Amino acid sequence: MKVFISGASGLVGSNCLKHFKEQGLETIGSYYSFETDDTVFYDTLMPDHPFNFDVATFAPDVIVHCGALTHVDYCETHEQESYEKTVQSTINLIKVAKECGAKMVYISTDYVFDGKNGPYKEDASVNPISVYARHKLEAEQMVLREIPHSLVLRVTNVYGNELRGKNFVARIIDQCKNHQKLTLKLPYDQYASPANAWDIARAMYLLLRDHKEGIYHIGGTDFLNRVELALRVLSYFPDAEYELIPISTEDMKQPAARPLIGGFVKAKFSSEYPEFLFGNIDSYMKEQTPAPSR
Ligand SMILES: NC(=O)c1ccc[n+]([C@@H]2O[C@H](COP(=O)([O-])OP(=O)(O)OC[C@H]3O[C@@H](n4cnc5c(N)ncnc54)[C@H](OP(=O)(O)O)[C@@H]3O)[C@@H](O)[C@H]2O)c1
């Protein structure tokens, strides 16, 4: 199986690239602005860019689309840019997938729900409450409609290893390791099921291997709010200096509305792969902060 991953310099894509290669899949991953050793250039917004990797000649069986404008508040005030980076990029990749006869994998989010009664199963009714969320839903529905046998993996609060260490958990770890004082103002009423990008990659590999299709919810074994998530990470750094201010979402006054009780019930995936063990923040932190040798 040949796989092209658009956005393999990012968190989810880089973990997929690494895992798929380790599993022996012929996999090419792309970067856009952050070049890495093992990626090629590809701009999903300019399919005819002269420097684009030649996807058609590579002729992948699968295209994994990991690109999007993920800054939810920025999307709220930059609707056109959000549309282009999330919806238009998907329209463009669908065209490429059709030319290659490739299946697509789209990475979506629990933000397609309104957060009134999560955690959610795949068949729960969607009701996006922000610009980012509306665009993610539009893109996932388009992929499912246009590309036969496509997959949508909905994920949330993704953490894990990535070169830039820009995810929420990685930034806390980085500041703690560098002995920087942290000031965190975080909502105590936004719940989700954080997922390690490595688990997403492992789950995606199995779903592709077994020719699965449709929507799958993927999440770790935690169900936490943002304050609990930060405290869980900080607990691995007993000397960390920090000020944590728990605040309600209402008082945060973020530009984009957030689903409060989000996250996933991943019973569908677990019923098909009962032996698949998802990690959580504790298992990840134990890898990041190994016990000192005696
Ligand atoms: N992270 C989360 O918590 C989370 C939660 C729910 C859903 N998701 C979804 O998961 C997917 C992956 O997210 P992520 O966290 O891995 O994001 P990320 O780390 O920001 O990675 C995004 C990737 O897209 C690439 N990209 C950006 N603009 C591009 C363009 N015009 N053409 C081609 N590639 C472009 C980036 O390349 P450069 O960096 O090289 O510019 C990067 O490799 C996204 O669709 C996101 O909506 C993420």
Side-chain angles (χ1 to χ4, degrees):
M1 188 192 302
K2 290 203 281 185
V3 184
F4 175 66
I5 302 171
S6 139
S9 50
L11 175 58
V12 176
S14 61
N15 279 272
C16 291
L17 180 62
K18 182 170 188 287
H19 184 58
F20 291 3
K21 280 186 173 176
E22 283 176 8
Q23 295 302 313
L25 299 187
E26 193 180 339
T27 311
I28 303 274
S30 72
Y31 75 94
Y32 172 61
S33 63
F34 183 72
E35 186 170 2
T36 65
D37 284 347
D38 54 355
T39 53
V40 296
F41 177 83
Y42 191 85
D43 181 357
T44 51
L45 295 179
M46 290 189 67
D48 298 323
H49 193 297
F51 298 141
N52 270 358
F53 173 72
D54 186 350
V55 182
T57 301
F58 177 57
D61 304 294
V62 178
I63 294 179
V64 181
H65 183 15
C66 287
L69 182 56
T70 55
H71 192 318
V72 178
D73 289 325
Y74 183 87
C75 290
E76 200 65 21
T77 50
H78 298 77
E79 191 161 352
Q80 183 57 27
E81 193 179 338
S82 169
Y83 177 85
E84 281 164 17
K85 294 192 172 160
T86 294
V87 183
Q88 188 60 49
S89 70
T90 306
I91 293 172
N92 295 346
L93 274 184
I94 285 175
K95 192 159 172 270
V96 177
K98 282 184 174 171
E99 281 161 12
C100 301
K103 165 176 179 159
M104 270 184 84
V105 182
Y106 187 71
I107 314 295
S108 192
T109 165
D110 62 341
Y111 277 34
V112 298
F113 301 110
D114 58 20
K116 290 187 177 151
N117 53 354
Y120 293 98
K121 285 183 165 181
E122 289 80 355
D123 57 3
S125 301
V126 291
N127 183 27
I129 56 173
S130 66
V131 167
Y132 167 78
R134 277 203 306 278
H135 289 159
K136 291 299 287 181
L137 181 62
E138 190 174 339
E140 66 163 55
Q141 289 180 336
M142 205 161 41
V143 169
L144 290 170
R145 198 173 55 237
E146 296 285 330
I147 304 290
H149 314 300
S150 51
L151 267 171
V152 168
L153 267 59
R154 292 191 184 133
V155 301
T156 178
N157 279 205
V158 186
Y159 61 92
N161 295 340
E162 60 171 333
L163 275 179
R164 278 172 282 188
K166 58 184 169 35
N167 63 81
F168 179 71
V169 169
R171 279 187 282 125
I172 297 178
I173 295 172
D174 188 52
Q175 285 177 280
C176 288
K177 284 187 173 169
N178 288 315
H179 307 290
Q180 292 166 338
K181 185 178 173 189
L182 290 92
T183 304
L184 299 161
K185 198 173 183 182
L186 298 170
Y188 54 74
D189 52 0
Q190 292 178 21
Y191 282 83
S193 37
N196 189 328
W198 188 245
D199 285 347
I200 297 171
R202 289 167 57 234
M204 195 191 300
Y205 169 78
L206 293 177
L207 293 169
L208 286 173
R209 184 197 67 184
D210 298 341
H211 307 288
K212 303 280 185 171
E213 53 189 79
I215 301 173
Y216 282 83
H217 286 181
I218 303 294
T221 61
D222 289 317
F223 186 70
L224 301 167
N225 67 42
R226 297 296 271 194
V227 173
E228 291 168 331
L229 175 56
L231 285 173
R232 187 73 66 85
V233 177
L234 288 164
S235 71
Y236 286 82
F237 298 96
D239 300 330
E241 234 192 299
Y242 64 87
E243 182 185 11
L244 200 162
I245 305 158
I247 182 170
S248 69
T249 297
E250 198 181 352
D251 289 342
M252 289 263 303
K253 304 210 183 307
Q254 293 162 303
R258 300 298 203 276
L260 294 186
I261 311 297
F264 299 121
V265 175
K266 54 182 184 305
K268 179 178 172 188
F269 183 89
S270 296
S271 68
E272 294 173 24
Y273 297 95
E275 290 178 10
F276 186 101
L277 202 56
F278 282 94
N280 55 28
I281 294 291
D282 282 322
S283 57
Y284 179 67
M285 290 308 300
K286 281 173 192 157
E287 287 167 20
Q288 304 306 305
T289 52
S293 53
R294 293 168 190 224

